[in-house]
Each structure stands twice: as C-alpha cells, then as structure tokens.
C-alpha cells in the first residue's frame, strides 16, 4: 500500500523467558514489581552477566507523539473518502476544532485507519467522552453504517501519508514530535540490549521518524509492524521470547493500558515485565487502574531512562 518512493524503505521485518528485577541505586526502579514468575534476583558480582535483556517498545505514545500528523492525515483521507462533506467550506472552517478533538480521543485508537472514522464521527457531532467510553462498539457500528472496509481504509490512509511524504517530507515530519528524554535511552538500549519496536504503525514511517527526528537509525529487522496483519501484540511477544530464549529478562513498554491487560490475561506471557508510561495516549483513570495491577509498573520518563540504561541486570 506504500507509494513507490516509500516502498523502497520497507524491508523484511524479523520478528524471553527469564525475568530479573531492574536494580537502580540499590532498589528496583520506583519499586517496580518483577514479573509474576520471576526467580530470585541475581546478585551483581563484578561485571554484569553476558546475557542481554529483551525490550519490546511501543512506538506511538511511548517514543513518538504522532497525533498531529495522524489527525491531519485523517482529514486529508476523509476528503478523499467523503468529498461531499470534507471538501466543503464548512468542513475547512471546522478543521481546527476537529483536529483539537482528535487529540482528545486519541487514547482509544488502535490502528491508524480508525482516525478516518473518528474524524467523521466528530464532524457528525459525536462527543469526545462518548467516543472515549464506547469506541470499541462505535467503530464497527459506523464501519457498517458507512459501508467501510478495513483493508480499503488502511490502503487509503496509507496512500494519503505516502503521497504527503513524497511531496513534502519536511511537512509530514513537522506535526510529529519525539517525546523529550526518550531518544537517548532507546539508542543506548539498541546498542547494548536486544531491542524491538512493536507497533501498529507502518514500518517505513517508524523508520523515517526514528532516523529523521529521533536521530536513531533503526535496523528494519528491529521493527515489527502489525498494520496489515492486525496480529495481537501478545503473539509478537511470544515470537520474540522464542527468538531470544537466553535473555536475562523480558520487558514490554506500552502506553495503552488495555494492551497490557491482555498480556496479563495470557499465562504464557507471565515472564514479561510490564510497564505503562505516564505520558502518551492514556488517561488518568487508566494510569490509576494500572497502578493497582500487581503485574504493571507505571513509569515516568526518568524511570524509563533508568530502565533502559541501567547496567544492574
């Protein structure tokens, strides 16, 4: 589905069993809980063990704030899908209002194409809170009402972005931002540990943003994109654990609480240490719920840095 100028950047994507508590300054990061079946914490004697840690990091909401770009791309795609609505002077006049509301409802988006449905719902008058509370049922209902197909919306949303990148890369990059303080720790862990990006964003876009905005050239085999397959992240974690059976610990960092809930519900993933960032696309209610879950640690940017760069493992 990628424009020919972007297609060349898409390469074959290649997609841990033991756990150990991360020790920093003599204690675990902010009292972080080890995975459910973690064994005794290893004492550090001399240099740390040769085994590397396995990291699986979400991208949007953990490393990159792409809400501005995805919302603008949604408006462009809606103009193609429904020109009789979004090509009008009224829609153009309401564009700032719609883009602002798109940021408010971003926490419920799983995959990029959903933005196109969201912006139409907002245009039709749906409230922000209504969408936050019921998106899981609102999305399929409106896909049916408006006779939309997931595959075709994925293709449309991708084409709009590809065309934008091909015509104006700087303009496409501008609405994106890398969260302050996260790029350096990611670069450090990429060099010293086994690190993967597990995302619903197309791999080509992830690679461009990491290289151009984060300053971190990320090998293609370190990006696992679910945009076409829709494969659950839990399955990706299982694949990565099998790929790195000797990892000293397995660490999954997300900004979506319900994604971590799904991991918690799968006994086969009990070895994974789970972290919810306190930035990104989650709500105060979700952060509070995560804090009550014994499997999940809620972390700040500073704790994220400690987690990725600590030598005490």
């Amino acid at each position: 589905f990628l424009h020919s100028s972007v297609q060349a950047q898409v390469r074959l994507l290649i997609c841990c069993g033991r756990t150990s508590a991360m020790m920093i300054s003599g204690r675990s990061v902010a009292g972080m809980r080890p995975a459910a079946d973690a064994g005794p914490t290893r004492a550090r004697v001399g240099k740390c063990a040769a085994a590397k840690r396995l990291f699986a990091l979400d991208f949007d909401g953990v490393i990159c704030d792409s809400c501005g770009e995805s919302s603008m791309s949604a408006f462009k795609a809606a103009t193609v899908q429904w020109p009789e609505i979004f090509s009008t002077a009224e829609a153009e006049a309401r564009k700032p209002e719609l883009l602002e509301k798109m940021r408010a409802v971003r926490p419920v988006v799983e995959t990029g194409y959903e933005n196109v449905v969201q912006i139409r719902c907002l245009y039709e008058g749906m409230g922000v809170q209504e969408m936050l509370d019921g998106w899981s049922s609102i999305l399929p209902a409106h896909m049916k009402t408006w006779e939309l197909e997931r595959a075709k919306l994925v293709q449309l949303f991708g084409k709009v972005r590809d065309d934008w990148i091909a015509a104006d890369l700087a303009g496409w990059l501008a609405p994106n931002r890398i969260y302050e303080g996260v790029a350096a720790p990611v670069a450090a862990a990429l060099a010293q540990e086994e690190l993967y990006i597990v995302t619903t964003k197309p791999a080509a876009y992830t690679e461009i943003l990491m290289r151009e905005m984060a300053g971190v050239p990320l090998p293609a085999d370190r990006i696992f994109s679910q945009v076409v397959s829709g494969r659950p992240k839990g399955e990706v974690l299982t694949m990565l654990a099998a790929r790195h059976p000797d990892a000293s610990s397995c660490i999954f960092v997300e900004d979506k609480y319900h994604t971590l809930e799904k991991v918690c519900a799968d006994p086969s993933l009990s070895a994974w240490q789970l972290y919810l960032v306190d930035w990104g696309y989650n709500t105060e209610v979700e952060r509070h719920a995560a804090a009550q879950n014994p499997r999940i640690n809620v972390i700040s940017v500073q704790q994220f840095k400690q987690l990725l760069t600590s030598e005490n493992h």
Side-chain angles (χ1 to χ4, degrees):
F1 300 147
L2 297 178
H3 188 280
S4 59
S5 66
V6 180
Q7 240 175 0
Q9 300 187 56
V10 184
R11 312 173 185 91
L12 178 64
L13 303 180
I14 305 174
C15 273
C16 48
R18 316 295 184 272
T19 61
S20 59
M22 284 295 303
M23 299 301 294
I24 297 177
S25 300
R27 64 180 180 82
S28 59
V29 179
M32 293 178 187
R33 298 173 286 262
D37 64 346
T41 302
R42 301 176 184 176
R44 188 187 184 209
V45 180
K47 297 182 178 179
C48 67
K52 296 181 178 181
R53 293 175 293 163
L54 172 60
F55 285 95
L57 308 181
D58 182 34
F59 185 70
D60 290 310
V62 173
I63 298 173
C64 180
D65 177 7
S66 62
C67 189
E69 177 274 319
S70 61
S71 298
M72 293 172 69
S73 291
F75 193 94
K76 290 173 182 285
T79 301
V80 176
Q81 182 68 32
W82 302 290
E84 71 281 6
I85 298 174
F86 285 89
S87 291
T88 64
E90 179 185 354
E92 190 64 31
R94 291 185 59 191
K95 187 174 181 180
E97 166 216 334
L98 294 172
L99 294 180
E100 182 178 353
K101 288 181 178 178
M102 286 291 285
R103 178 167 289 279
V105 298
R106 181 60 178 81
V108 295
V109 172
E110 286 288 328
T111 307
Y113 79 92
E114 296 175 31
N115 286 280
V116 185
V117 184
Q118 277 192 333
I119 205 162
R120 169 80 186 266
C121 288
L122 291 170
Y123 182 88
E124 299 287 347
M126 184 174 292
V128 168
Q129 196 58 51
E130 179 184 358
M131 193 175 292
L132 289 174
D133 292 340
W135 184 240
S136 61
S137 58
I138 291 170
L139 174 63
H142 283 76
M143 291 282 286
K144 182 177 181 180
T145 298
W146 294 330
E147 300 180 335
L148 302 171
E149 296 179 23
R150 182 187 188 278
K152 290 183 177 179
L153 271 189
V154 168
Q155 183 176 16
L156 171 62
F157 196 55
K159 185 178 186 306
V160 164
R161 291 167 129 180
D162 295 343
D163 290 347
W164 190 0
I165 291 170
D168 181 16
L169 176 59
W172 180 81
L173 289 170
N176 293 281
R177 72 182 181 94
I178 301 299
Y179 291 108
E180 185 175 357
V182 306
V186 170
L190 181 64
Q192 300 172 8
E193 313 284 1
E194 299 292 353
L195 183 143
Y196 293 83
I197 301 296
V198 181
T199 179
T200 56
K201 193 182 210 74
Y205 305 158
T206 303
E207 190 276 329
I208 292 171
L209 288 164
M210 287 296 293
R211 170 169 41 84
E212 298 293 333
M213 300 201 71
V216 180
L218 193 66
D221 65 356
R222 293 288 157 163
I223 305 172
F224 194 94
S225 172
Q226 307 160 274
V227 69
V228 176
S229 69
R231 193 175 190 181
K233 287 189 177 182
E235 291 186 15
V236 180
L237 297 182
T238 297
M239 179 190 301
L240 293 177
R243 189 174 181 80
H244 299 280
D246 297 324
S248 62
S249 60
C250 302
I251 298 168
F252 180 38
V253 183
E254 254 285 354
D255 74 308
K256 293 293 183 65
Y257 173 57
H258 68 87
T259 299
L260 295 178
E261 279 189 304
K262 292 177 183 177
V263 175
C264 290
D266 187 342
S268 70
L269 299 174
S270 62
W272 284 84
Q273 298 175 28
L274 307 179
Y275 299 88
L276 180 78
V277 299
D278 68 2
W279 62 94
Y281 310 127
N282 52 52
T283 66
E284 184 177 350
V285 171
E286 291 171 328
R287 291 189 291 274
H288 178 75
Q292 308 308 308
N293 189 316
R295 281 286 311 280
I296 301 173
N297 299 285
V298 181
I299 57 172
S300 65
V301 171
Q302 181 59 33
Q303 291 165 334
F304 176 80
K305 177 181 178 180
Q306 292 176 315
L307 179 67
L308 269 66
T309 60
S310 171
E311 296 182 355
N312 297 311
H313 62 88

